[in-house]
Amino acid sequence: MSDHLLPEARYRPSPNRSGALVGPRFVVVHYTAGASAEGAVAWLTNPDGPGKPSAHLVIGRDGALWQLVPFDRVAHHAGQSRWAGLSGLNRHSIGIELVNLGPLTAREDDGFADAYGRLVPAAGIVRAAHRHGGPRRPWQAYPPAQLDALERVLTILRRRYPTLEDVVGHDDIAPGRKIDPGPAFPMDRFKALFRHADFVSDVKGTACR
């Protein structure tokens, strides 16, 4: 990975980046709060967006990958954040956005709506309360293709960047401010990857170029 890019990802360079990212310690998982990867990529590559947000990767619901920032540059994904004695996690982490609507609203007709009032199919809904508090509510589930793609990406990243220690959620590093990736995301599955001694050698898919 001489240029710190995933060859299987579509590269859409975002201008919203800072200096060098050296020795990243964490992968931070987010949801996009939107319905499409294309919309998320457009938002995260917009130089005029509020706060000029970005992420290293966007993973679509079908598992397709977009890379917006090389892994050796700082992306603007964490905001005000703190974890493991560190503050400002942008300087210490790789940020991955998963296309997901997040929390939904139950409608009187037994359907569901997103934050913009748009109807969401009832299939793939998880009812749960966030561990940081709040009511039990419906959340959009993460499909298997997307989660499998994330597992492949984490395997590749851990092999290429041995300084990586763990995967965390945006809600871990900014509690009270952020709730993503939320209770529908199976965080334990991905934390377990970092605990396995053979994690680095168990590579599925394409390595970085």
Side-chain angles (χ1 to χ4, degrees), residues 7 12 16 21 24 39-40 44 50 59 68-69 73 121-122 144 151 172 178 181 186 190 192 198 207:
R12 304 277 184 85
N16 305 332
L21 177 61
L44 297 169
I59 303 181
L68 313 182
V69 178
R73 309 301 294 178
E151 183 171 339
D172 289 313
K178 295 295 182 178
F190 298 99
D198 61 349

Side-chain angles (χ1 to χ4, degrees), residues 82-98:
R82 180 177 294 274
W83 188 254
L86 301 171
S87 61
L89 268 291
N90 283 339
R91 302 189 307 273
H92 307 284
S93 64
I94 291 171
I96 299 179
E97 294 271 359
L98 305 180

Side-chain angles (χ1 to χ4, degrees), residues 180-204:
D180 56 313
F185 181 72
M187 181 63 80
D188 287 346
R189 167 181 171 179
F190 298 99
K191 283 188 171 294
L193 294 175
F194 284 83
R195 294 195 293 267
H196 291 323
D198 61 349
F199 177 57
V200 175
S201 62
D202 185 23
V203 178
K204 303 174 183 176

